[in-house]
Amino acid sequence: MKKRIWVVVAMLFVLPGLLLTASCAKKAVKPDASVAKTDDDAAKRAAAEKARQDELARQKELEEARLKEEAAKREVLAARNKFMNENVHFAFDSSVLDTTAQSILKSKADWMKKNPNAPVIIEGHCDERGTVAYNLALGERRAESAKAFLVNMGISAGSMSTISYGEERPVDPGKNEEAWAKNRRAHFVIK
Amino acid sequence: MGNPAVRLKIIGMLLILLITGETAWCAGKYDYIDISNPMMKKIPIAVPLFKPISGNTAEIQTSDSGSKQLSNFLGFTGYFKVIDRGAFLIDTAQSDVAIPQYKAWTTVGAEFLVTGAAASQDNQLELELRLFDTINQRQLIGKKYTGHPDDQRKMIRRFCSEIMMLLIGNSGIFDSQITFVSTSGSGNKEIFIAEFDGSDARQITNNKSINLSPDMSSDGKYVAYTSYAGGKPDLYIQSLSDRKISVVDKKGMAISPAWVPGRFELAASLSFSGDPEIYLLTGNGKIINKIIESSGIDLSPSFSPDGKKMAFVSRRAGSPQIYIQDMESGKVDRVTFYGNNNTQPDWSPKGDKIVYTSLDKNVFNIVVISVNGNGAVQLTHGSGDNESPSWSPDGSMIVFSSTREGVSKIYVMTAFGTDQRRLVDLSGQQSEPKWSPNVTN
């Protein structure tokens, strides 16, 4: 019974000693470790920053390229839309190409040269005045006269076909000169 | 009786009997009407209700509808003034259809009288029709028709043709039809056919593309027209009996067909060689030969009644004008000189005139001119754009399209431009009417 008490007393002395030793050792190591860690963090931060900058630059480049590509696409699309939407207009009962008509056809020729593989349909249209069969014939003359001009500009005749709609497909149903002028047209369609 | 073949047989068996009496049988020489006078007085005629023989429902129905049809047909020609039934002095149901009380009719102003008697039994209609000269107090025509009740309209048409033959000297217009373009069906331009008076309009194409410029063959069996059903303006020749179609689908367009009178041939403008030229084709659409060639547009052929000459439109002088070509010699004469836009010639059945569409002061009007280019007379005035004139087979009337009420509709007038009125009652717009020849089956 007495022996047990001694062990407990001895433990009471030894244990705090052990505890003290341990805490002293810890204190001695700590300053060195903290210095090393600070240096390491700075490097890491710099690297991350650089990577971030690089990434930003890369992103910017990509974005620029994308914008550029989109702009180019838009341009191609705009050119294509202009090709299809810009009509060549004619005077009443005429298939003669005036200077405006010729300059529009020149820009059409440019487009067709850049897009030689796009098969094109030229539609000839008339205003509602005039009789049905005659307007079919007049519409055909209009489409053919636009086609002949483009052939003279160096476009292959084989890449173009013509169709007359006479007075059957007006763009403006109005019954006035403004509407009629819009309807007297050669209209370009990409097949 | 939906089967047309069965109906045709019955019509074939339609019995026509001459009812004996003092009948003036010199067709066309009973010249009461001066048809060359535009101011002519209309002939007053009375058409009382037909007498129902046994008094059954079918007969009473025929009495009413038949006398109405006969009045409408005669009134439509523009030659007759049908006297209002309210003015009649006698009850026709009680009187003898064969021996009229002439005084009672002359008193109400009738110079002519038509009486009718209807007998109907076992799905068979017997219609007895008579024309009387009330002033000279004699019967001019007496006919008895027997057939299916569905053929009532046909019987009455035939009797009206008899009246016309006797009083005017030709069989009139009652066996003719009118082809035209209408958007009333699908909203697209489709080809229709109506009776001469615009009734019973029926659609013969339904391809939902654009169909234009119909023309019926002399025998009434085919209609030629331009159609976009194949994606471009091709020529379609459609059989009306079995709906079979021959297509002329050469490069370019095939437009403005016109049948050669009395033949299974037609002319049309084809542009496969570069610009529109007029060709002669078989009724099956095979090219026979080129008729008209010039640098520029040639189109809209229309043959003289004997087929020896052809009117057409050409732009050879810089603006569309009407020309005539002699088919044998090839000699070409220009007909129109006034104005810069003269199109759509249609040669009169009598052979002496051409009616066409002319642009003047920014408006399109119908003009008639002698084939030698003299005596042009404008028939429409101040009533929108008027286009596509076409003669009735007897030359007494002209059908045309007009925008006078807004969208294009179909109208008729006399050859002198009088009595202008709406013809076809359909929704949407109607255009390019063409009057067919008389076709009797």
Side-chain angles (χ1 to χ4, degrees):
Chain A
M1 196 56 193
K2 259 189 189 173
K3 218 179 186 177
R4 236 183 183 172
I5 290 163
W6 280 114
V7 171
V8 171
V9 172
M11 288 285 275
L12 280 173
F13 280 94
V14 170
L15 271 174
L18 274 175
L19 281 170
L20 268 174
T21 321
S23 72
C24 276
K26 215 178 183 179
K27 256 180 195 165
V29 172
K30 205 177 178 179
D32 288 337
S34 91
V35 168
K37 187 157 190 212
T38 309
D39 289 349
D40 193 34
D41 279 0
K44 263 189 192 155
R45 237 178 281 132
E49 178 60 20
K50 190 177 177 304
R52 200 177 66 84
Q53 291 293 342
D54 285 353
E55 178 59 19
L56 273 178
R58 203 176 65 85
Q59 287 287 344
K60 201 176 165 199
E61 241 167 66
L62 273 177
E63 177 68 5
E64 267 166 18
R66 195 179 64 81
L67 284 175
K68 218 175 186 177
E69 200 179 314
E70 253 178 26
K73 260 190 202 158
R74 257 202 306 277
E75 216 168 275
V76 168
L77 202 65
R80 187 187 157 93
N81 283 341
K82 186 182 173 209
F83 180 82
M84 293 202 291
N85 295 335
E86 192 176 32
N87 292 331
V88 176
H89 293 285
F90 298 87
F92 177 68
D93 190 26
S94 170
S95 53
V96 173
L97 301 163
D98 63 15
T99 50
T100 315
Q102 291 184 19
S103 81
I104 292 171
L105 283 171
K106 275 175 195 157
S107 68
K108 297 222 187 284
D110 290 343
W111 188 89
M112 290 179 79
K113 279 173 188 162
K114 283 180 203 149
N115 299 272
N117 295 323
V120 166
I121 304 168
I122 309 173
E123 299 177 356
H125 297 268
C126 303
D127 65 31
E128 61 174 13
R129 292 169 313 148
T131 53
V132 168
Y134 182 74
N135 275 340
L136 283 176
L138 182 61
E140 188 185 55
R141 294 290 84 207
R142 284 175 178 164
E144 288 293 337
S145 115
K147 182 182 169 184
F149 185 88
L150 291 169
V151 169
N152 285 340
M153 296 289 296
I155 307 297
S156 143
S159 66
M160 297 178 279
S161 60
T162 60
I163 183 169
S164 172
Y165 283 103
E167 61 182 86
E168 306 302 326
R169 296 262 168 92
V171 281
D172 188 332
K175 310 230 170 263
N176 50 63
E177 181 46 42
E178 197 192 334
W180 295 330
K182 270 190 230 165
N183 293 335
R184 294 188 297 261
R185 68 200 192 277
H187 177 66
F188 285 67
V189 177
I190 301 161
K191 235 187 255 180
Chain B
M1 286 310 289
N3 187 340
V6 175
R7 276 193 61 176
L8 275 177
K9 253 184 202 160
I10 288 186
I11 288 296
M13 285 157 54
L14 195 91
L15 191 68
I16 305 171
L17 291 175
L18 188 67
I19 300 163
T20 48
E22 322 158 43
T23 302
W25 249 142
C26 39
K29 284 179 186 145
Y30 201 88
D31 209 350
Y32 286 90
I33 302 170
D34 178 11
I35 55 169
S36 61
N37 175 13
M39 307 314 279
M40 74 173 190
K41 175 179 151 276
K42 288 190 181 188
I43 299 301
I45 189 165
V47 185
L49 290 174
F50 297 166
K51 191 171 183 170
I53 297 296
S54 70
N56 64 34
T57 323
E59 288 172 3
I60 289 168
Q61 212 173 335
T62 296
S63 160
D64 181 57
S65 66
S67 53
K68 207 175 278 171
Q69 277 171 340
L70 202 144
S71 303
N72 289 345
F73 289 178
L74 292 179
F76 182 82
T77 63
Y79 290 123
F80 297 92
K81 180 185 178 293
V82 181
I83 292 168
D84 183 11
R85 251 175 233 147
F88 294 173
L89 301 175
I90 46 176
D91 180 1
T92 49
Q94 305 304 320
S95 54
D96 191 334
V97 292
I99 312 160
Q101 298 166 258
Y102 292 110
K103 283 266 158 55
W105 296 109
T106 49
T107 305
V108 298
E111 292 175 18
F112 292 89
L113 168 72
V114 173
T115 65
S120 188
Q121 60 176 2
D122 302 336
N123 233 10
Q124 183 165 305
L125 172 66
E126 209 174 270
L127 201 55
E128 227 178 273
L129 297 167
R130 290 177 171 83
L131 173 71
F132 298 94
D133 174 344
T134 55
I135 291 168
N136 295 309
Q137 305 203 346
R138 57 178 178 149
Q139 180 178 317
L140 299 176
I141 309 173
K143 296 269 164 169
K144 186 190 270 181
Y145 302 91
T146 307
H148 190 272
D150 283 355
D151 296 322
Q152 178 187 312
R153 189 184 154 93
K154 198 162 277 178
M155 296 175 187
I156 288 164
R157 266 184 9 210
R158 202 152 290 179
F159 186 70
C160 288
S161 297
E162 299 279 351
I163 296 177
M164 291 296 287
M165 185 55 91
L166 185 70
L167 300 184
I168 310 294
N170 66 59
S171 55
I173 54 175
F174 305 112
D175 291 313
S176 65
Q177 295 178 306
I178 291 167
T179 56
F180 58 97
V181 172
S182 177
T183 62
S184 54
S186 58
N188 300 293
K189 284 190 169 181
E190 304 279 3
I191 308 296
F192 282 63
I193 301 177
E195 294 297 300
F196 70 92
D197 59 354
S199 67
D200 193 24
R202 56 208 183 273
Q203 191 172 335
I204 65 155
T205 63
N206 193 11
N207 55 44
K208 297 185 172 59
S209 68
I210 306 168
N211 302 282
L212 303 166
S213 314
D215 190 45
M216 191 184 278
S217 60
S218 299
D219 60 7
K221 290 180 178 159
Y222 298 86
V223 174
Y225 53 91
T226 295
S227 178
Y228 280 75
K232 66 185 185 63
D234 295 319
L235 181 65
Y236 282 46
I237 304 167
Q238 181 170 331
S239 159
L240 292 175
S241 54
D242 58 13
R243 301 222 157 187
K244 270 189 191 146
I245 297 174
S246 309
V247 182
V248 179
D249 65 346
K250 293 189 161 300
K251 187 175 164 287
M253 317 183 294
I255 60 171
S256 68
W259 291 90
V260 183
R263 281 155 69 179
F264 190 52
E265 288 173 7
L266 69 168
S269 182
L270 314 182
S271 68
F272 65 87
S273 69
D275 63 298
E277 323 269 27
I278 299 174
Y279 292 80
L280 189 65
L281 307 162
T282 68
N284 298 317
K286 302 269 179 304
I287 290 177
I288 299 170
N289 59 293
K290 192 188 280 187
I291 311 173
I292 302 287
E293 178 174 17
S294 75
S295 59
I297 297 167
D298 294 299
L299 77 172
S300 297
S302 173
F303 288 93
S304 62
D306 60 9
K308 287 181 177 162
K309 290 182 175 182
M310 188 187 77
F312 63 101
V313 171
S314 179
R315 211 171 186 280
R316 61 188 65 191
S319 66
Q321 299 291 347
I322 315 277
Y323 295 78
I324 289 175
Q325 169 157 302
D326 187 290
M327 296 296 282
E328 205 173 290
S329 70
K331 186 171 166 283
V332 173
D333 290 310
R334 182 167 165 180
V335 179
T336 56
F337 288 89
Y338 182 78
N340 293 320
N341 199 302
N342 297 309
T343 60
Q344 296 179 323
D346 191 49
W347 206 307
S348 78
K350 285 172 198 156
D352 56 340
K353 285 179 174 155
I354 288 169
V355 67
Y356 61 97
T357 304
S358 182
L359 176 67
D360 191 22
K361 299 181 185 74
N362 234 358
V363 185
F364 287 89
N365 275 302
I366 310 291
V367 176
V368 67
I369 194 167
S370 293
V371 292
N372 61 14
N374 292 331
V377 178
Q378 187 179 324
L379 300 180
T380 54
H381 303 265
S383 52
D385 285 317
N386 299 277
E387 298 179 9
S388 297
S390 173
W391 297 93
S392 63
D394 66 345
S396 70
M397 301 175 91
I398 292 166
V399 66
F400 60 102
S401 69
S402 175
T403 59
R404 61 188 60 188
E405 291 174 275
V407 297
S408 178
K409 299 277 184 187
I410 292 173
Y411 299 79
V412 279
M413 60 184 167
T414 68
F416 310 109
T418 57
D419 279 340
Q420 300 193 5
R421 60 214 133 110
R422 237 328 250 294
L423 184 68
V424 178
D425 187 23
L426 288 175
S427 63
Q429 70 168 70
Q430 285 82 47
S431 53
E432 295 193 279
K434 199 78 173 268
W435 215 315
S436 84
N438 278 316
V439 177
T440 46
N441 42 30

